[in-house]
């Protein structure tokens, strides 16, 4: 289980996260919803260590991670796809996947062939430099690359942004596949319809503070979305 407790982060002298607490169980999809600037990206980056937190704890399966650098958090089992997926532009699609290939657990895990099955477009482009991909193709590659490390919990920051509807559908199928295989998923999204269609539970964040927590199906029919997301 990913457990985040009272996480506090700053940009310079400005406090941007206020005692954020959340958890993700194995085989659970959890949505983190909020408007632009609400703190979703900062929360995700703080969990993985890209933004340094000044208070609170992050643990995975009981192992404290909050004092570790990002690469060790990834080795411990966190996968992270930042907003507008970043890739190694000077390497080919295949090389992007090869350099982060993780150690298989119990003889199973993600391979390049499995990644290409999940994203057939990447198979077609496997020899193309990542810097020549479209924005949606780079996002697909960023997701596939994170999966190559065989994470136990996957953090996806606005993964549907810039993707064509058919690719968003493929991404949804992938998230469900991860859940069914026992991987936890934390999904930060402004596209609440996409997120809630996949999520078991959801948190709503505003001004760096968790304002609401509950079941995704209950949230979809409540006034919380209008109050905090304006929808």
């Amino acid at each position: 289980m990913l457990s985040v407790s009272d996480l506090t982060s700053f940009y310079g002298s400005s406090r941007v996260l206020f005692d954020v607490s959340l958890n993700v169980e194995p085989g659970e999809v959890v949505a983190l919803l909020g408007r632009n600037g609400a703190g979703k990206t900062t929360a995700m980056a703080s969990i993985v260590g890209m933004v340094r937190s000044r208070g609170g704890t992050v643990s995975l399966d009981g192992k404290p991670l909050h004092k570790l650098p990002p690469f060790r958090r990834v080795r411990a089992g966190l996968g992270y796809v930042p907003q507008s997926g970043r890739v190694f532009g000077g390497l080919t699609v295949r090389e992007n996947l090869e350099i982060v290939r993780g150690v298989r657990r119990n003889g199973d895990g993600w391979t390049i062939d499995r990644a290409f099955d999940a994203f057939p477009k990447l198979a077609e482009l496997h020899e193309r430099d990542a810097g020549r991909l479209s924005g949606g193709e780079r996002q697909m590659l960023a997701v596939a690359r994170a999966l190559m490390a065989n994470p136990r919990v996957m953090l996806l920051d606005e993964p549907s942004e810039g993707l064509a509807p058919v690719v968003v559908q493929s991404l949804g199928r992938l998230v469900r596949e991860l859940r069914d295989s026992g991987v936890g998923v934390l999904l930060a999204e402004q596209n609440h319809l996409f997120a809630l269609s996949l999520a078991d539970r959801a948190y709503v964040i505003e001004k760096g503070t968790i304002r609401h927590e509950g079941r995704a199906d209950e949230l979809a029919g409540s006034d919380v979305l209008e109050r905090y997301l304006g929808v």
Side-chain angles (χ1 to χ4, degrees):
M1 178 181 74
L2 172 66
S3 178
V4 179
S5 180
D6 297 325
L7 197 62
T8 299
S9 296
F10 287 72
Y11 287 137
S13 60
S14 299
R15 187 175 180 180
V16 291
L17 281 190
F18 297 82
D19 303 320
V20 167
S21 296
L22 56 85
N23 62 79
V24 182
E25 298 285 348
E28 181 183 41
V29 179
V30 176
L32 181 62
L33 305 177
R35 303 180 193 227
N36 280 338
K40 302 187 301 298
T41 291
T42 301
M44 302 285 272
S46 297
I47 292 169
V48 80
M50 300 298 292
V51 171
R52 185 175 180 180
S53 59
R54 297 193 192 177
T57 61
V58 177
S59 64
L60 183 61
D61 297 334
K63 177 182 178 180
L65 301 183
H66 51 279
K67 295 183 179 180
L68 300 180
F71 77 92
R72 292 189 61 186
R73 299 189 197 199
V74 171
R75 287 181 181 176
L78 289 185
Y80 177 52
V81 180
Q83 188 176 12
S84 302
R86 300 165 193 166
V87 296
F88 300 111
L91 301 181
T92 67
V93 167
R94 179 177 289 274
E95 288 168 342
N96 265 270
L97 300 178
E98 287 176 341
I99 64 172
V100 293
R101 184 163 43 199
V103 177
R104 295 188 186 185
R105 297 185 178 94
N106 301 320
D108 197 7
W110 282 85
T111 64
I112 291 177
D113 286 342
R114 186 178 174 189
F116 286 162
D117 286 341
F119 296 105
K121 186 66 175 179
L122 296 181
E124 298 175 16
L125 302 171
H126 71 102
E127 293 184 343
R128 181 172 297 183
D129 285 350
R132 296 173 53 213
L133 300 178
S134 69
E137 291 162 353
R138 286 196 300 271
Q139 186 76 336
M140 286 187 278
L141 178 56
V143 173
R145 188 182 62 188
L147 289 170
M148 293 298 292
N150 297 311
R152 293 201 295 274
V153 177
M154 185 71 137
L155 282 67
L156 301 172
D157 189 6
E158 303 281 4
S160 70
E161 184 178 47
L163 297 184
V166 65
V167 182
V168 173
Q169 292 176 3
S170 296
L171 180 62
R173 288 194 294 270
L174 176 62
V175 170
R176 294 185 183 96
E177 179 184 339
L178 292 174
R179 178 187 61 198
D180 293 344
S181 69
V183 175
V185 178
L186 181 59
L187 179 64
E189 268 287 352
Q190 190 174 359
N191 182 348
H192 68 282
L193 293 176
F194 172 69
L196 292 176
S197 72
L198 299 170
D200 301 292
R201 293 187 299 112
Y203 296 88
V204 177
I205 189 170
E206 182 194 47
K207 296 180 180 179
T209 301
I210 299 295
R211 301 293 188 184
H212 181 85
E213 172 191 356
R215 288 169 48 98
D217 55 357
E218 295 174 350
L219 181 61
S222 74
D223 64 352
V224 173
L225 296 182
E226 181 177 359
R227 189 185 317 159
Y228 295 114
L229 277 69
V231 296

